[in-house]
Amino acid sequence: MSQNENAIKPVDSPVKEGLAGLGSAFVTIGTTYPITKLIYRQILENENAAKSLTKLRQEGYVIVYRGIMPVMVQKCLCLPTMFAVYSAATIPLKSLNMNEYLEKTCASVISGTLEAFLMPFERVQLILLMSQYNNQFRNMFHLIRVMAKDYGFKEFFRGYTTILTRNICSNCCFFLTKSELQKRFDNADHVYMKHMQNFVYGALVGTLITVLMYPLKVAKVHIQKDLGGKYRNLLEVSREIYQTNSRGMINFYRGIEVNTLKGLLSWGITNSSYEWIKHRL
């Protein structure tokens, strides 16, 4: 390989990673969005899965996919950012000859931090998921106009610190755990077994992330469900959740069964489709 080819390879790699992440985002959201809506309804309305599912069925398929635009846009920005920035960050970090795990952690922190700036889409998605706003906001663009006009730019970043914490922890968990799984078990020869292996890697990591990050997700939802009014911090909201109905820590895990299933499927689909697309670019 020539010197020029070596010079451009590091530049192309993050682009390739980003495109693979973009493709996997489309596939993942299209297949798992109804489950996402079911989970948020359980958290927001303090219901079990059966009751939330019955309500969604009564609302119809159009309402089930209401709010998919912001989450699709957010995911199509976040996943490419996650993979591309992580890949780009490792290039200068490698020149520092630091410990492998420290290098991956630093790259994960950088990618997670940049991802957090895309949180307005996540904020808008949550409002559109809430049943009480079904008749108040027509779509994502209508909601954005109202929020910007009536509540100001700051309202889009309600819960930023919580999302930043979640992103950094999730990215560290994903890249470090996936790397370890690949080093120890990446031995499939047949192409179909390779796809299955990538799905299993993603599913295992996704399940781990879901279980570890779920209490933070519940707190984030309760912080962001308010439209206007006082800005509540993570500690304040966590105390409120803990005291609800005197159920303590159980309140932080309402809906975790469905969310774990969704995490298993979505991360499995994300990782397998990401690897498949990247292999063909």
Side-chain angles (χ1 to χ4, degrees):
M1 185 178 288
S2 69
Q3 187 175 356
N4 287 338
E5 288 175 319
N6 278 327
I8 65 172
K9 187 176 180 181
V11 178
D12 290 339
S13 181
V15 173
K16 186 176 180 179
E17 296 275 346
L19 290 174
L22 178 62
S24 66
F26 275 106
V27 176
T28 303
I29 296 303
T31 54
T32 63
Y33 184 74
I35 303 176
T36 300
K37 192 153 196 174
L38 177 63
I39 293 164
Y40 276 108
R41 285 291 182 86
Q42 284 186 261
I43 295 172
L44 289 166
E45 300 180 13
N46 201 30
E47 299 172 340
N48 59 39
K51 189 172 182 180
S52 295
L53 183 59
T54 300
K55 283 187 176 180
L56 286 174
R57 284 175 175 171
Q58 291 171 347
E59 291 173 7
Y61 290 107
V62 174
I63 296 297
V64 167
Y65 276 91
R66 170 184 161 87
I68 194 173
M69 180 66 75
V71 72
M72 180 67 82
V73 173
Q74 184 235 1
K75 207 70 174 177
C76 287
L77 290 173
C78 280
L79 276 182
T81 300
M82 171 182 163
F83 288 114
V85 173
Y86 176 85
S87 176
T90 57
I91 297 172
L93 289 172
K94 285 184 183 299
S95 64
L96 300 177
N97 296 319
M98 61 173 59
N99 176 274
E100 175 192 358
Y101 298 106
L102 180 58
E103 175 192 307
K104 287 182 169 63
T105 300
C106 290
S108 298
V109 170
I110 293 170
S111 65
T113 301
L114 288 179
E115 272 187 85
F117 287 106
L118 301 172
M119 69 161 286
F121 293 104
E122 193 170 347
R123 176 86 174 96
V124 170
Q125 173 210 354
L126 179 63
I127 298 299
L128 291 176
L129 282 169
M130 298 172 68
S131 57
Q132 62 262 44
Y133 294 119
N134 281 350
N135 298 319
Q136 187 172 345
F137 302 112
R138 294 189 297 274
N139 50 46
M140 178 181 76
F141 303 105
H142 181 218
L143 174 56
I144 290 173
R145 286 198 302 271
V146 172
M147 286 179 66
K149 180 181 178 182
D150 296 346
Y151 301 101
F153 181 75
K154 186 179 178 182
E155 186 66 30
F156 289 98
F157 287 88
R158 185 186 289 264
Y160 172 79
T161 304
T162 305
I163 287 179
L164 176 64
T165 304
R166 180 206 62 189
N167 285 359
I168 290 175
C169 293
S170 296
N171 283 11
C172 288
C173 184
F174 178 80
F175 288 112
L176 287 168
T177 308
K178 179 185 173 182
S179 175
E180 290 302 303
L181 287 171
Q182 287 178 326
K183 283 193 292 186
R184 287 165 170 74
F185 305 107
D186 199 4
N187 53 8
D189 295 325
H190 197 279
V191 62
Y192 295 110
M193 288 302 297
K194 186 69 176 176
H195 293 325
M196 180 60 68
Q197 196 173 59
N198 288 330
F199 179 87
V200 171
Y201 289 163
L204 289 174
V205 177
T207 301
L208 178 62
I209 292 173
T210 297
V211 173
L212 293 178
M213 295 293 109
Y214 195 71
L216 203 57
K217 177 174 184 172
V218 171
K220 186 268 297 186
V221 169
H222 281 272
I223 290 172
Q224 291 191 324
K225 72 179 182 180
D226 298 326
L227 193 55
K230 178 186 175 183
Y231 284 78
R232 300 181 297 164
N233 59 41
L234 179 59
L235 182 61
E236 183 181 353
V237 169
S238 297
R239 188 183 300 114
E240 178 185 298
I241 295 170
Y242 184 84
Q243 294 172 349
T244 300
N245 298 327
S246 301
R247 300 190 69 185
M249 288 301 297
I250 294 175
N251 292 323
F252 287 96
Y253 289 93
R254 178 171 289 279
I256 193 171
E257 304 91 345
V258 179
N259 198 63
T260 301
L261 174 62
K262 184 248 181 180
L264 186 151
L265 289 173
S266 63
W267 280 103
I269 293 169
T270 295
N271 192 57
S272 57
S273 58
Y274 158 79
E275 294 289 352
W276 184 85
I277 294 169
K278 187 174 71 169
H279 180 70
R280 280 155 179 76
L281 289 176

